[in-house]
Amino acid sequence: MPIPLLEFTPTTQNQRVDGYEVAGEDTPTIYRLANATSDADIDAIIWAAYRQIFSEHLILEKYRQPFLESQLRNRAINVRDFIRGLGKSDVYRDEVAETNSNYRLVDISFKRFLGRATYGKDEQISWSIVIATKGLHGFIDAIVDSEEYRQNFGDDIVPFQRRRFKDRPFNLVNPRYSDYWRGRLIEQYLGGRSFYQVVRSGQAVQRGVRQAIPANFLSMAASVTPGGAEYQRSSDRARNIASSIKIPDTSRESTTPPPTVKPAQVALPYRYIPGNKTT
């Protein structure tokens, strides 16, 4: 029995609000198969799909899908099936799916296939269960066959970022730049072993290895930082107390004149020498 999609609450996003903006450079270009009348139009649709799904603005030859391109040129498949094929390709699996956790895979896939970000962590958790139960291909089918995809893109429109008026475009986000991928690289560098399996002897070396774990470093950094709001309240309280303290005036005026010092007669040396005696 398949697990139903968990419920989540949508959040307010630009794509859910009607806009009255004047068309400009942020207005997305719509590539529609029904408007294609030449081979150049078909090429533009294919390259737009590559840019949106693969996030490659300079498509490498090894990333191209000649079989899917041929079917689309011959109108054997529509744009929606072409997008589905790109999502199920080995390129998408190797470059996006294998380099991210399921939560981030859901967010990136929604940005590329549905043209919007996920509605927070709840939606990511909900759709990550679909990945765990149906795999990558079943996850791509669920997105492309969803009612949201059909309403916004139909069968012959290449997905695009809906109402991009904040931040950079979705398809410029590097899927590898995340803590999950950095952890994978560290694991590969260690030969598949964990941090605690690297060194079995030498207490000092093991301690150094444990300190290199990102999670331990963050916890250590958090332990030495001030206590947040409590620190701010204590600092403000100290400033208020210091500003309210009045320093007493210790200066006073003297009514008696200062004493005068009279020079005293000093016996100069060599007074016994004739001619040096004073009269």
Side-chain angles (χ1 to χ4, degrees):
M1 179 179 178
I3 301 177
L5 190 66
L6 298 180
E7 296 182 358
F8 53 88
T9 302
T11 58
T12 301
Q13 296 181 354
N14 286 340
Q15 50 88 16
R16 298 187 63 219
V17 182
D18 294 334
Y20 302 94
E21 296 85 359
V22 179
E25 61 180 5
D26 289 329
T27 303
T29 302
I30 299 178
Y31 295 90
R32 189 189 301 269
L33 183 61
N35 298 335
T37 58
S38 62
D39 293 339
D41 295 337
I42 299 294
D43 291 338
I45 292 175
I46 292 175
W47 292 116
Y50 281 140
R51 289 193 301 269
Q52 179 67 21
I53 304 303
F54 288 170
S55 185
E56 295 287 345
H57 292 264
L58 181 61
I59 305 301
L60 301 180
E61 187 67 26
K62 65 177 182 178
Y63 289 168
R64 296 185 61 177
Q65 307 295 316
F67 179 72
L68 293 175
E69 292 184 20
S70 176
Q71 287 187 314
L72 184 63
R73 294 181 189 277
N74 296 326
R75 305 298 176 101
I77 59 175
N78 53 28
V79 174
R80 186 162 67 95
D81 292 333
F82 183 74
I83 297 297
R84 187 198 309 270
L86 295 183
K88 293 182 178 181
S89 64
D90 294 337
V91 178
Y92 195 80
R93 176 181 292 275
D94 296 337
E95 300 298 323
V96 181
E98 295 294 337
T99 59
N100 290 281
S101 62
N102 288 349
Y103 297 155
R104 195 161 189 263
L105 175 60
V106 171
D107 186 58
I108 292 178
S109 299
F110 271 49
K111 291 176 179 178
R112 299 187 181 183
F113 288 88
L114 297 180
R116 68 168 178 87
T118 53
Y119 296 135
K121 201 68 175 182
D122 292 340
E123 188 175 24
Q124 295 178 14
I125 295 175
S126 178
W127 281 90
S128 65
I129 298 177
V130 177
I131 299 176
T133 55
K134 298 182 179 181
L136 179 62
H137 288 190
F139 171 64
I140 297 299
D141 286 334
I143 294 178
V144 177
D145 294 334
S146 64
E147 187 65 23
E148 182 178 0
Y149 185 97
R150 292 178 179 273
Q151 290 181 356
N152 291 279
F153 309 116
D155 293 333
D156 61 343
I157 297 179
V158 177
F160 55 88
Q161 182 174 344
R162 293 178 274 167
R163 295 194 63 206
R164 179 173 68 85
F165 294 99
K166 182 182 179 183
D167 300 331
R168 57 184 175 175
F170 289 156
N171 58 349
L172 292 181
V173 177
N174 191 346
R176 287 188 178 89
Y177 191 73
S178 65
D179 52 354
Y180 177 81
W181 176 246
R182 290 192 296 270
R184 289 280 301 275
L185 291 180
I186 295 175
E187 183 179 354
Q188 293 175 6
Y189 177 75
L190 298 178
R193 297 170 296 173
S194 66
F195 286 96
Y196 297 98
Q197 295 174 345
V198 176
V199 180
R200 296 182 179 274
S201 62
Q203 190 68 21
V205 178
Q206 288 185 355
R207 187 182 304 110
V209 172
R210 292 189 183 98
Q211 291 175 355
I213 302 176
N216 291 354
F217 174 77
L218 293 178
S219 60
M220 180 190 67
S223 63
V224 299
T225 56
E230 183 63 29
Y231 169 80
Q232 185 66 30
R233 286 194 294 267
S234 301
S235 178
D236 294 341
R237 189 182 303 111
R239 290 194 185 95
N240 295 334
I241 294 175
S243 61
S244 61
I245 295 177
K246 295 183 179 180
I247 301 177
D249 187 8
T250 58
S251 62
R252 59 182 179 179
E253 296 181 357
S254 178
T255 57
T256 60
T260 58
V261 179
K262 296 181 179 181
Q265 186 177 5
V266 180
L268 297 177
Y270 310 113
R271 294 184 62 183
Y272 59 90
I273 299 176
N276 289 342
K277 293 182 180 180
T278 59
T279 57

